[in-house]
Amino acid sequence: MYGLSGAARILLAAERFDMRKSIDGLCAVVRNEWKENLFAGALFVFVSKRGDRVKILSWDNGGFVVVYKRLERGRFRVPVFHDGALGAQLDSMQ
């Protein structure tokens, strides 16, 4: 899927998301709530409310890319977040 270097910045949302959000909706969350630069090359990861789906938003030369994955069985494992946390930064191995 993605060939990630060890320097890749990956930000995982603490809040579970409605997977109906489009690229524009996800960009609005990153820009307005997280106050992050959309064009810096980071991967922004959003997990569904049920935990069986994930969307990854990134900027690629000239446009946004969204990768969507749905598990047929099981759930994605996400870390426990402290109250008020917007998310967590992950490394490429996580």
Side-chain angles (χ1 to χ4, degrees):
M1 181 171 84
Y2 275 108
L4 298 177
S5 71
R9 188 162 179 245
I10 305 166
L11 301 170
L12 172 66
E15 177 185 348
R16 298 294 181 105
F17 276 82
D18 181 347
M19 289 290 112
R20 294 178 291 178
K21 282 195 184 291
S22 66
I23 289 175
D24 294 329
L26 297 174
C27 286
V29 169
V30 172
R31 185 183 316 111
N32 301 330
E33 295 178 27
W34 296 6
K35 310 291 188 220
E36 290 287 337
N37 181 358
L38 288 161
F39 309 104
L43 301 175
F44 303 100
V45 181
F46 303 88
V47 179
S48 70
K49 292 181 181 181
R50 291 190 307 192
D52 64 340
R53 296 164 189 186
V54 66
K55 278 189 179 180
I56 302 170
L57 173 70
S58 65
W59 173 258
D60 188 29
N61 297 328
F64 287 102
V65 176
V66 171
V67 176
Y68 178 80
K69 181 165 184 159
R70 181 187 73 201
L71 297 177
E72 291 299 316
R73 289 190 210 112
R75 304 281 187 258
F76 288 100
R77 291 186 295 157
V78 295
V80 176
F81 295 99
H82 301 290
D83 290 339
L86 294 176
Q89 186 165 335
L90 305 176
D91 63 37
S92 60
M93 296 305 293
Q94 292 172 303

